[in-house]
Amino acid sequence: MKNISPPLGFPEIHDFESALLFIKKQQDILAQKDQAILNKSQIILDKDREIHFKETKIQALLFEISRLKKWKFSSSQTEALDSVQFKLFVENLEIDIAAVEAELEHLLSSKSNHSSPPQPKGHPKRQAFPEHLERVDIYHEPEPCQNSACHHVRKKIGEEISEKLNCEPIRFFVERHIRPKYAPCCGEGIIIAPMPPQIIDKGQPAPGLLAHILISKFAFHLPLYRQEQDYKQRSGVEIPRNTMAGWVGACGVALAPLYERLCECALTQTVMHADETTVRVLVPGDKKAHQAYMWVYRTGEHCPVQAVMFDFQMSRAGKHPQAFLQGYKGALMIDKYSGYNGIFKDPGVIELNCLAHIRRKFFELYETNKSVMAHEALLLIGKLYEIEREATEWPPDQRLAHRHAYAKPILGHLETWLKDRLGKVPGGSGMHKAISYALNCWEAVWRYIEDGRYPIDNNLDENAIRPLVLGRKNWLFIGTEGSGPRTACILTLIESAKANDLNPYDYLRDVLTRLPTQPYTRLDELLPHIWKPTTLLP
């Protein structure tokens, strides 16, 4: 019988037992391979499940980001919420968007062996930090070479710089005013320089600390008791709140002449806005807080003097704006509150009414029941605002020509529409009230196309009120009746500084430094629209 050589890789088998052993070994090998295949199949299945989960999660996160951004930038939110609620709403949306984007970034970075979907569009680019900020360099050297046989000296070929924004708690420091004493000379007594005059005579606070307390309370709405806690816990400095209250009161008194002079300058402008809001005050001996009013006046957007003025009063009576605006000649933008009617008895004062207030009434009707008639009014008013936005940065004469060419025909059409619809809606209905209000304001609304300096609405003054509205939710009441005028004084200077694009802290610190020695004849140099810094700023 002819011998047959075994296949390549197989050993020669000389007996039956060797054959069985070989077969058993091959079966074990095949079983191990089968198990390995099963394990890999399970791994692939698990990976497919993980990929499917991540793909689903990523699509859900992309949808969530899209929805959050739609909410954030939806114009309807600004009407559905008041200004304070809307700011809080946007703040929470920003937090939500950041959290979802972080989760999405984590998922995308952990994906492997498959293509990633594109990053969501509209992600804002990182802005460079302002150049004036102090730079603190922190060097990170790499680990030394672990090769003991290497004796090369590393040659620096460049560097990577990553900037991180950091901060520290408020930095307190003590100013030491050192005044050398000199022996008597020429029959004089001991010679020593006098201390520079201070806002608080013989007091401990320097102008920088006073400015910080005022800004924290009136610009950032931080009550004095919270400032007291913050200084103690984070900086180890104890300043009792009653002490700070005394300092605030003293600053209010010292700044009063500047406040009065600013009001005088503002009342020489040709356009003014007026509005009012409620504040709470405490009456000595009464445990309840009483309602008072803060009247807010602002010069027109295109006036050379930019000023925001607060006037505290215990009531909403019309005598208060009449007293504040006594002698004013020009255009006054209001919201049709009857308390201003006495002002317009003076032929030198021109009444302007706010188109935004008219729009708001139709918007409420549309939001409530999707009124077709209200929507028609909103479309016409929207066209007027589109025309106005086009001419925002133009000179008054060009803006006036633009209004005559494009806004005047729409105003005429809107007036006809209002009069026609008034007789078609039931008396006493919401639509009837909205149309009646608009027609009642119409003559004063129409006047904005007669002068390029006149505003279309009172939004500028309403924006000036917002810091006060936000602040009263924190400090609840402004103190007693006597605290009202001081609060109005400080708020006026802070908000007027903002209106002139000044840093309120820098402005107040410099004013509080210079005011004790500033001659009254040169008081105008400290007004926000004229002020130039003279002290060294860090």
Side-chain angles (χ1 to χ4, degrees):
M1 184 175 177
K2 186 178 179 180
N3 292 330
I4 300 175
S5 299
L8 185 64
F10 282 76
E12 294 185 6
I13 301 174
H14 302 286
D15 53 43
F16 183 72
E17 291 183 358
S18 297
L20 289 176
L21 184 62
F22 175 74
I23 293 172
K24 177 65 174 174
K25 187 175 181 180
Q26 292 302 314
Q27 288 176 339
D28 291 341
I29 292 173
L30 290 173
Q32 291 176 3
K33 288 183 177 180
D34 288 342
Q35 186 61 44
I37 291 172
L38 288 174
N39 291 341
K40 289 184 177 179
S41 297
Q42 186 62 43
I43 292 173
I44 292 172
L45 182 60
D46 292 342
K47 288 289 185 182
D48 286 341
R49 289 173 178 170
E50 182 182 357
I51 291 171
H52 178 71
F53 169 78
K54 288 185 176 180
E55 290 284 3
T56 304
K57 184 69 172 177
I58 287 170
Q59 293 303 320
L61 291 174
L62 289 172
F63 173 76
E64 184 70 11
I65 288 175
S66 175
R67 186 174 64 164
L68 290 171
K69 288 184 176 179
K70 182 179 179 180
W71 285 349
K72 175 183 174 183
F73 297 108
S74 173
S75 61
S76 64
Q77 295 295 340
T78 59
E79 296 287 354
L81 305 175
D82 63 40
S83 60
V84 177
Q85 291 173 328
F86 181 65
K87 287 182 179 179
L88 297 176
F89 174 79
V90 171
E91 181 179 300
N92 288 328
L93 278 183
E94 293 283 7
I95 295 172
D96 291 341
I97 291 172
V100 174
E101 288 181 341
E103 186 176 356
L104 178 62
E105 183 178 355
H106 175 72
L107 283 173
L108 292 176
S109 63
S110 65
K111 289 181 62 180
S112 59
N113 300 325
H114 61 283
S115 60
S116 300
Q119 289 281 358
K121 295 181 180 180
H123 191 75
K125 293 183 178 180
R126 181 174 294 178
Q127 299 294 322
F129 298 131
E131 291 296 328
H132 71 271
L133 292 180
E134 176 189 3
R135 262 61 177 179
V136 177
D137 294 334
I138 302 174
Y139 288 90
H140 302 275
E141 293 290 347
E143 293 291 334
C145 181
Q146 301 299 318
N147 186 357
S148 59
C150 178
H151 300 290
H152 292 91
V153 178
R154 287 174 172 166
K155 182 179 179 181
K156 185 176 180 180
I157 59 173
E159 58 187 13
E160 291 285 338
I161 300 177
S162 302
E163 292 193 335
K164 307 287 184 184
L165 187 62
N166 203 349
C167 71
E168 294 179 349
I170 178 175
R171 182 176 69 94
F172 285 92
F173 59 93
V174 178
E175 289 183 355
R176 299 179 65 209
H177 293 260
I178 302 173
R179 299 177 292 150
K181 291 183 179 181
Y182 294 94
C185 177
C186 301
E188 297 177 342
I190 295 176
I191 302 172
I192 184 172
M195 272 291 292
Q198 303 290 314
I199 286 290
I200 300 177
D201 190 31
K202 298 181 181 179
Q204 289 183 320
L209 177 57
L210 293 174
H212 183 272
I213 292 172
L214 294 179
I215 294 296
S216 297
K217 178 174 174 58
F218 296 101
F220 300 115
H221 324 299
L222 198 63
L224 295 179
Y225 81 90
R226 290 176 59 187
Q227 293 190 51
E228 177 187 17
Q229 294 172 351
D230 183 60
Y231 299 155
K232 182 178 180 180
Q233 294 172 3
R234 295 205 294 168
S235 302
V237 176
E238 296 190 33
I239 308 178
R241 72 192 75 173
N242 59 341
T243 300
M244 287 189 284
W247 295 347
V248 171
C251 289
V253 173
L255 293 170
L258 194 60
Y259 164 81
E260 294 171 0
R261 180 59 188 143
L262 177 61
C263 293
E264 291 175 3
C265 292
L267 292 179
T268 63
Q269 303 305 294
T270 55
V271 178
M272 290 283 291
H273 296 254
D275 205 348
E276 73 287 334
T277 188
T278 58
V279 291
R280 306 290 285 176
V281 296
L282 295 177
V283 176
D286 193 340
K287 296 181 180 180
K288 295 182 180 179
H290 293 254
Q291 181 169 285
Y293 287 85
M294 192 70 80
W295 299 77
V296 186
Y297 307 90
R298 199 202 191 287
T299 54
E301 183 179 7
H302 305 289
C303 292
V305 175
Q306 290 296 297
V308 181
M309 296 153 291
F310 293 81
D311 180 38
F312 172 82
Q313 299 294 340
M314 288 298 293
S315 75
R316 202 186 180 200
K319 62 181 180 181
H320 301 308
Q322 291 182 47
F324 188 90
L325 296 171
Q326 186 176 7
Y328 172 69
K329 305 294 181 182
L332 179 64
M333 168 61 75
I334 60 169
D335 59 4
K336 204 54 181 176
Y337 168 52
S338 59
Y340 298 102
N341 291 346
I343 299 172
F344 301 112
K345 293 179 180 179
D346 185 341
V349 183
I350 301 170
E351 180 181 1
L352 303 177
N353 280 173
C354 175
L355 186 62
H357 277 74
I358 295 175
R359 180 190 181 277
R360 196 166 297 151
K361 294 184 181 297
F362 287 109
F363 182 85
E364 290 170 354
L365 291 171
Y366 179 72
E367 282 290 287
T368 303
N369 52 25
K370 303 301 178 185
S371 166
V372 175
M373 196 176 294
H375 188 248
E376 292 176 2
L378 290 175
L379 290 176
L380 290 172
I381 295 173
K383 291 179 180 179
L384 293 173
Y385 273 98
E386 288 177 9
I387 294 168
E388 197 64 19
R389 277 192 292 270
E390 294 173 358
T392 299
E393 303 297 331
W394 295 2
D397 55 342
Q398 294 184 21
R399 189 180 305 108
L400 178 61
H402 186 71
R403 288 173 175 175
H404 272 277
Y406 300 102
K408 188 174 181 179
I410 298 174
L411 272 174
H413 177 52
L414 180 57
E415 182 179 10
T416 302
W417 183 92
L418 291 169
K419 291 178 179 178
D420 178 66
R421 297 302 188 276
L422 183 63
K424 298 180 179 180
V425 295
S429 65
M431 182 59 67
H432 190 275
K433 291 179 180 178
I435 294 176
S436 297
Y437 176 84
L439 290 174
N440 189 36
C441 300
W442 201 251
E443 182 181 355
V445 168
W446 186 277
R447 292 193 183 109
Y448 92 92
I449 65 169
E450 297 176 357
D451 193 313
R453 298 168 298 176
Y454 292 171
I456 191 173
D457 55 37
N458 205 24
N459 287 349
L460 197 66
D461 202 52
E462 291 189 358
N463 291 337
I465 289 179
R466 286 179 180 175
L468 178 63
V469 174
L470 181 62
R472 72 186 178 200
K473 290 183 178 293
N474 286 353
W475 33 257
L476 301 181
F477 50 85
I478 62 175
T480 63
E481 182 178 348
S483 302
R486 290 191 291 272
T487 299
C489 169
I490 298 170
L491 280 173
T492 294
L493 295 176
I494 290 175
E495 295 304 319
S496 294
K498 293 180 184 179
N500 287 276
D501 297 323
L502 303 178
N503 182 318
Y505 171 77
D506 291 343
Y507 169 71
L508 272 185
R509 190 183 73 167
D510 189 66
V511 166
L512 292 173
T513 300
R514 296 163 57 183
L515 193 58
T517 57
Q518 188 80 1
Y520 187 80
T521 55
R522 294 172 52 195
L523 192 62
D524 286 6
E525 295 176 7
L526 303 183
L527 296 175
H529 59 282
I530 299 176
W531 173 80
K532 300 295 181 185
T534 57
T535 57
L536 295 177
L537 300 177

